[in-house]
Amino acid sequence: MSRVITITSGKGGVGKTTSTANLGAALAMQGLKVAVVDADIGLRNLDVVMGLENRIVYDLVDVVEGRCRLRQALIKDKHFPDLCLLPAAQTRDKDAVTADDMIALTNQLRAEFDYVLIDSPAGIEAGFRNAIAGADEVLIVTTPEVAAVRDADRIIGLVEAFEKGHPRLIINRLKPRMVSRGEMMSIDDVLQILAIDLIGVVPDDEQIVTSTNRGEVAVLDRSSRAGRAFVEIARRLAGEDVPITVFDDNPGLLNRIFGAFGIRPRGSER
Amino acid sequence: MGFLDTLFGKRERSSDIARDRLLTVLVHDRVKLTPDMMEQLKADLSAVIARYVPSVDAGAIEVTLLRGESVDHLKADIPLRRTPQKL
């Protein structure tokens, strides 16, 4: 049984595309067949995050409008042969596809893949509604900031109104040190406010910037804390019972001393 | 924002401020009471209460929306003027 999962957030810039690319790669690392779909028509991004921008011939709108077959538009990932990208059109807008088109498209993808991950555009309009139309489940990405959590709350309500079940939450760009100083909302603060199940916590990690610069996903880099967090989330998504780890920021003095002796604390459990 | 400030209670932790602001914003988002409607609500409330308690201080009524665990609350604080007692 294949699963179609939409990654959305309401607010822009909280890490939907990065999450989609990394979860897609992490699921493919488990040997699963995965398609990632860029549903942000007109603002194509997932291709550059994955470093596949030079290989695009056809896009999602070409498939929907019958200019090519689905297989012609799918781009194989550089590292994982079982991971494919369906890019968004760059020169069209969200009105180029309908919710019914997206349902038909996801059904076609179900026949070929174990997982279909859809990267939703920001906002609550047609683009978002198209992105969740064919989904079985929804993941919501937020950061521990007032504006992002407010938008996440709005999106949770909409996802439930569209009868997509109970979405699960990814808290992205958490800075554990700031949380411990009382300068950033904690995981519990966010969960209490949103009353939603947590699927994972991704720490703020500068390596995301450098890996994105190169068009590589962070899960390929075993030293990336964000990458490790995404690997864990993918395992949870696939049904494994993995306790949630909060991978810590820059090592503190104690960790550095332990590190000098070759002992590397992995992070603290929630 | 220094550690000492927190220790001596000079400044509230910004994470707490964020959480409280969010709670207020969310309850307003959900209940959809505009500031105009809130003003109207206060005026209506004071008119009704004045029928029973003439000393109600209409201008000082405060109505706030609060988020609770399972239900939200509309809380009204209705101050009454203390008038000198007649013997």
Side-chain angles (χ1 to χ4, degrees):
Chain A
M1 251 311 261
S2 50
R3 288 160 72 189
V4 180
I5 304 169
T6 298
I7 291 104
T8 189
S9 67
K11 189 175 177 302
V14 297
K16 286 179 296 295
T17 304
T18 304
S19 299
T20 307
N22 279 282
L23 291 178
L27 287 166
M29 280 163 78
Q30 297 181 30
L32 295 157
K33 297 186 76 178
V34 185
V36 289
V37 178
D38 191 344
D40 200 348
I41 314 290
L43 290 170
R44 178 198 276 172
N45 273 152
L46 190 52
D47 56 333
V48 286
V49 170
M50 296 173 74
L52 299 173
E53 67 273 19
N54 294 328
R55 306 186 187 190
I56 297 176
V57 181
Y58 295 109
D59 58 50
L60 187 152
V61 177
D62 292 324
V63 177
V64 165
E65 295 182 347
R67 274 187 298 279
C68 70
R69 280 174 290 116
L70 175 60
R71 248 179 231 188
Q72 291 174 288
L74 288 170
I75 301 160
K76 253 195 186 37
D77 184 69
K78 294 181 287 188
H79 304 282
F80 307 103
D82 284 338
L83 175 62
C84 286
L85 164 71
L86 180 59
Q90 179 66 349
T91 53
R92 302 288 295 271
D93 67 28
K94 60 186 187 304
D95 302 322
V97 291
T98 64
D100 286 340
D101 291 334
M102 289 299 287
I103 292 169
L105 183 71
T106 47
N107 284 338
Q108 255 185 293
L109 288 162
R110 280 175 204 273
E112 312 267 340
F113 296 94
D114 300 313
Y115 281 84
V116 179
L117 303 186
I118 301 175
D119 182 19
S120 158
I124 55 172
E125 285 135 19
F128 155 74
R129 292 200 294 271
N130 290 342
I132 63 164
D136 306 315
E137 308 162 46
V138 175
L139 299 183
I140 292 172
V141 185
T142 192
T143 57
E145 291 156 288
V146 178
V149 175
R150 181 196 202 176
D151 290 0
D153 180 78
R154 182 98 166 85
I155 286 288
I156 292 166
L158 288 171
V159 168
E160 282 169 357
F162 283 105
E163 296 179 345
K164 293 292 170 188
H166 295 298
R168 286 183 286 177
L169 186 73
I170 296 174
I171 299 180
N172 195 19
R173 287 200 212 123
L174 187 88
K175 299 186 178 196
R177 306 265 143 168
M178 287 191 77
V179 173
S180 63
R181 290 199 300 265
E183 288 168 0
M184 179 179 264
M185 280 189 287
S186 68
I187 298 165
D188 285 338
D189 287 339
V190 175
L191 292 182
Q192 239 170 36
I193 288 167
L194 294 178
I196 179 179
D197 288 336
L198 182 69
I199 191 167
V201 178
V202 183
D204 189 60
D205 183 358
E206 289 186 352
Q207 267 163 284
I208 287 281
V209 178
T210 54
S211 59
T212 308
N213 285 345
R214 296 199 166 88
E216 301 280 352
V217 285
V219 292
L220 283 169
D221 179 357
R222 298 194 63 99
S223 70
S224 160
R225 288 173 293 116
R228 280 148 72 198
F230 281 120
V231 168
E232 277 199 357
I233 295 172
R235 286 168 61 196
R236 260 174 236 124
L237 207 51
E240 240 185 285
D241 189 12
V242 187
I244 288 178
T245 315
V246 180
F247 295 96
D248 209 345
D249 301 57
N250 303 319
L253 183 61
L254 263 182
N255 288 9
R256 254 181 262 158
I257 294 168
F258 282 130
F261 290 103
I263 306 162
R264 303 207 74 191
R266 192 154 160 265
S268 49
E269 271 179 29
R270 196 162 80 80
Chain B
M1 168 86 187
F3 164 72
L4 288 176
D5 285 349
T6 318
L7 194 67
F8 296 111
K10 280 185 192 155
R11 266 162 106 178
E12 203 181 338
R13 291 160 24 127
S14 75
S15 61
D16 294 335
I17 297 171
R19 199 194 51 230
D20 292 345
R21 289 178 57 220
L22 248 174
L23 290 171
T24 310
V25 164
L26 287 185
V27 68
H28 279 270
D29 285 354
R30 285 181 192 170
V31 179
K32 296 188 182 78
L33 264 176
T34 63
D36 269 7
M37 289 160 72
M38 279 293 243
E39 284 310 309
Q40 189 60 49
L41 175 67
K42 278 192 227 173
D44 290 355
L45 259 179
S46 73
V48 171
I49 290 164
R51 273 195 257 152
Y52 301 89
V53 189
S55 60
V56 63
D57 185 354
I61 289 183
E62 272 189 46
V63 181
T64 42
L65 260 173
L66 297 173
R67 200 180 147 101
E69 276 287 302
S70 53
V71 288
D72 299 324
H73 302 268
L74 190 62
K75 199 174 146 199
D77 182 2
I78 304 160
L80 304 178
R81 278 186 302 266
R82 284 206 186 120
T83 44
Q85 300 269 317
K86 282 175 193 160
L87 288 173

